[in-house]
Amino acid sequence: MSAPTTTVYERVGGLPFFERLVDRFYEGVAGDPVLLRLYPHPEDLAAPRRHLSLFLAQYWGGPTTYSHERGHPRLRIRHAIGPEERDHWLGHMRAAVAWLDPQPDIRRALEEYFETAAESMRNRF
């Protein structure tokens, strides 16, 4: 019998961790004209914050609220970004992870995932 595995979601303390991560990320986005132009309502980022928090929580082993509310993430379809936007997005996400300073293995996992996710959202060249 194998030992039960603990998800990243559980190890970081659940949804509050991802909400803090996303809040910090969006603090950067709010001052970034390259990224703000991607949002239909850049003056109100509450809905995108919630969506990203729920998505990340689900991805890392939390409840499936995101899928129940929004369906499949469809990252490439929902995000029309090129290399510049990808790089800005990734820079703000890396800064948010660094600010939270999770355990080294969690930090590595998050950073690797965000690098892959940033590239997978890119659909312009």
Side-chain angles (χ1 to χ4, degrees):
M1 185 176 199
S2 63
T5 56
T6 304
T7 65
V8 169
Y9 179 84
E10 294 166 326
R11 288 186 58 203
V12 298
L15 184 59
F17 172 87
F18 294 101
E19 289 172 331
R20 288 191 309 275
L21 176 70
V22 169
D23 284 346
R24 188 64 173 203
F25 167 76
Y26 271 102
E27 285 177 17
V29 170
D32 188 330
V34 170
L35 293 180
L36 281 178
R37 69 179 179 228
L38 301 174
Y39 293 89
H41 303 287
E43 71 286 350
D44 182 8
L45 299 172
R49 281 178 192 246
R50 181 172 185 279
H51 297 154
L52 184 54
S53 295
L54 292 175
F55 172 78
L56 292 174
Q58 177 177 312
Y59 180 85
W60 292 102
T64 58
T65 308
Y66 179 88
S67 287
H68 289 294
E69 291 183 5
R70 310 249 320 145
H72 189 278
R74 300 185 326 241
L75 293 180
R76 191 163 286 189
I77 294 169
R78 287 186 173 155
H79 300 86
I81 70 170
E84 181 183 28
E85 294 86 359
R86 176 203 56 209
D87 293 348
H88 281 241
W89 186 93
L90 189 54
H92 292 301
M93 194 55 81
R94 284 179 176 149
V97 171
W99 178 78
L100 280 174
D101 195 26
Q103 294 176 10
D105 63 323
I106 301 273
R107 182 176 182 157
R108 238 181 345 272
L110 291 169
E111 288 175 346
E112 288 173 9
Y113 168 74
F114 290 131
E115 287 177 24
T116 300
E119 182 59 25
S120 71
M121 288 186 292
R122 186 171 62 87
N123 56 18
R124 291 189 294 111
F125 298 92

